[in-house]
Amino acid sequence: MRALNLTLLTDLYELTMMQGYFKNPTDQVVVFDAFYRKNPCDGGYAIAAGLDQIIEYVRHLHFAPDDIDYLRSLNIFDADFLEYLRGFHFTGDIYAVPEGTVVFPREPLLKVIAPVMEAQLVETTILNLLNHQSLIATKASRVVYAAKGDGIMEFGLRRAQGPDAGLYGARAAMIGGCIGTSNVLTGQMFQVPVKGTHAHSWIMSFPDEYTAFKTYAELYPNACILLVDTYDVLNSGVPNAIRVFQEMKATGHEMKGYGIRIDSGDLAYLSKQAYKMLDEAGFGDAIISASSDLDEYLIESLKSQGAKINSWGVGTNLITCQDNPAFGGVYKLAAIKNAEDEDFVPKIKVSENVEKVTNPGNKTIYRIYDKQTKKIRADLICLANETFDPEEDMIIFDPMATWKKTKIAGGSYVLRELLVPVFQKGECVYTSPSVMEIRDICQKELNTLWDETRRFVNPQEVYVDLSDKLFKIKSDLLEQMGQASIQ
């Protein structure tokens, strides 16, 4: 599966449009933006992820002989177009927000500047890779935030929607802040920690629970997390775990990485009672891990109830983002340049739905940080050639409600351009950090958010504004479209 050529992982209409452009030759170079319109899970932010897989996809983009043969069998593509595809490769530019970056609606997470056929072909796969991993990384960051410093382990592989969703979902979950995954292939491919305990079947395969625990402890004395809810948590599981811990201690074993896991029942009550029993036996430092259909809301609730849980295993609700299973990213044409044009000509998509009206032009994003707190004040979408002086006052405004304005005093803020070059003239110029490095980047990024933006209920929106020049271009295009519709 890892060696699969993804060139045909696309919607058919990308290829039929390509043939249309081929039959009607054009020298157009276009700008496409990949962005999303609404934060997942009704949250206040998202996490960009999936760029490394996009890089690999674009690097290896080509039509193999088998691909050409298959397309010919569809009887909708002409021989001259299929011959053109034999030598196809990507020659354009790609800019993107680095993985692990906090992002917000309507701002381009990735920008493609390329001949129109090339830019059209890559749409579907870019969205597939960007949408899925950004969704899971965002969900993971929420779960980690709810745990308030406790470790979160991802173990949703068996509930993921297929192998790739499990593999790259686990990668994204690590970016979002998980401390490890149960997915061994993810561990191998991306050099991230793999963790796990044992199943109920391990307990059931032995004559009794104590023997099962003792055997496991002998095998893994430095990673001895015992699953205590196979029969009865408080009357059997915890007492048998304590007995094994006492025996380990009596042999002089250094007690580290040990504890219990509870996978069912009232986790708040059971964890508190289990902690009391462990503490009275001299094992108050034991890990108490919990699983059982957890998500950020349940973890937050259990924490508020005083649950004595300090390690969390999260599966189904994380790997599938069950409450919000799609990220909703889109890929829209923003500008065109013909051979005779000196600059890109902005293009806009108009819709009856205001939120679906696109931002035109060749753009970039500047993030505005408060110099004192290091927190995000706002993001500013502007034309790619615009520059700003942070020593000068900046007035930003809501592009949907223009009377809402904010003055940011010069010298009180710093700027950072978010989009970085990834491909230049078809060659990759970007080196992706390791997943664990991206995880660290993500944690630093999340620390730039105000707590009000990270809360789960009615989070404060981070402003994403347009520069004066971009706003005027958009307004002029909308006015032109309005006049044209009247005529």
Side-chain angles (χ1 to χ4, degrees), residues 35-149:
F35 63 96
Y36 71 102
R37 299 187 179 106
K38 184 177 183 294
N39 287 320
C41 308
D42 293 323
Y45 66 93
I47 301 296
L51 178 59
D52 193 45
Q53 283 63 57
I54 292 172
I55 291 171
E56 289 302 300
Y57 158 69
V58 175
R59 270 179 170 162
H60 297 105
L61 192 63
H62 72 284
F63 290 85
D66 287 351
D67 299 333
I68 302 296
D69 291 342
Y70 171 71
L71 294 176
R72 182 181 293 110
S73 75
L74 299 178
N75 296 316
I76 57 176
F77 298 109
D78 294 342
D80 55 349
F81 175 63
L82 294 175
E83 191 60 30
Y84 160 77
L85 293 183
R86 288 186 188 276
F88 179 90
H89 62 282
F90 184 79
T91 66
D93 301 341
I94 294 178
Y95 296 80
V97 172
E99 290 190 273
T101 303
V102 167
V103 291
F104 307 107
R106 300 179 298 281
E107 55 192 25
L109 311 187
L110 182 143
K111 177 175 71 173
V112 175
I113 305 176
V116 64
M117 281 195 283
E118 298 176 25
Q120 197 70 71
L121 176 63
V122 298
E123 171 183 7
T124 301
T125 305
I126 282 177
L127 288 178
N128 177 275
L129 296 170
L130 192 68
N131 280 340
H132 175 244
Q133 290 199 52
S134 297
L135 176 70
I136 304 305
T138 304
K139 183 68 170 181
S141 73
R142 292 167 57 85
V143 173
V144 169
Y145 185 66
K148 303 300 182 189

Side-chain angles (χ1 to χ4, degrees), residues 155 197-199 225-229 259-263 289-291:
F155 67 109
T197 56
H198 60 77
I225 305 295
L226 304 175
L227 182 59
V228 296
D229 74 330
I260 64 171
R261 177 163 74 95
I262 307 171
D263 189 50
S289 178
S291 45

Side-chain angles (χ1 to χ4, degrees), residues 228-239 260 262 264 270 274 277:
V228 296
D229 74 330
T230 303
Y231 302 121
D232 187 309
V233 173
L234 301 180
N235 293 315
S236 174
V238 176
I260 64 171
I262 307 171
S264 59
L270 291 173
M277 295 165 68

Side-chain angles (χ1 to χ4, degrees), residues 53 55 100 143 145 185 187 249 268 277-278 282 289 323 353 360 365 391 432 462:
Q53 283 63 57
I55 291 171
V143 173
Y145 185 66
L185 184 56
K249 190 174 183 179
M277 295 165 68
L278 288 162
S289 178
D323 60 334
N353 298 331
I365 317 159
E391 295 304 314
S432 292
V462 172

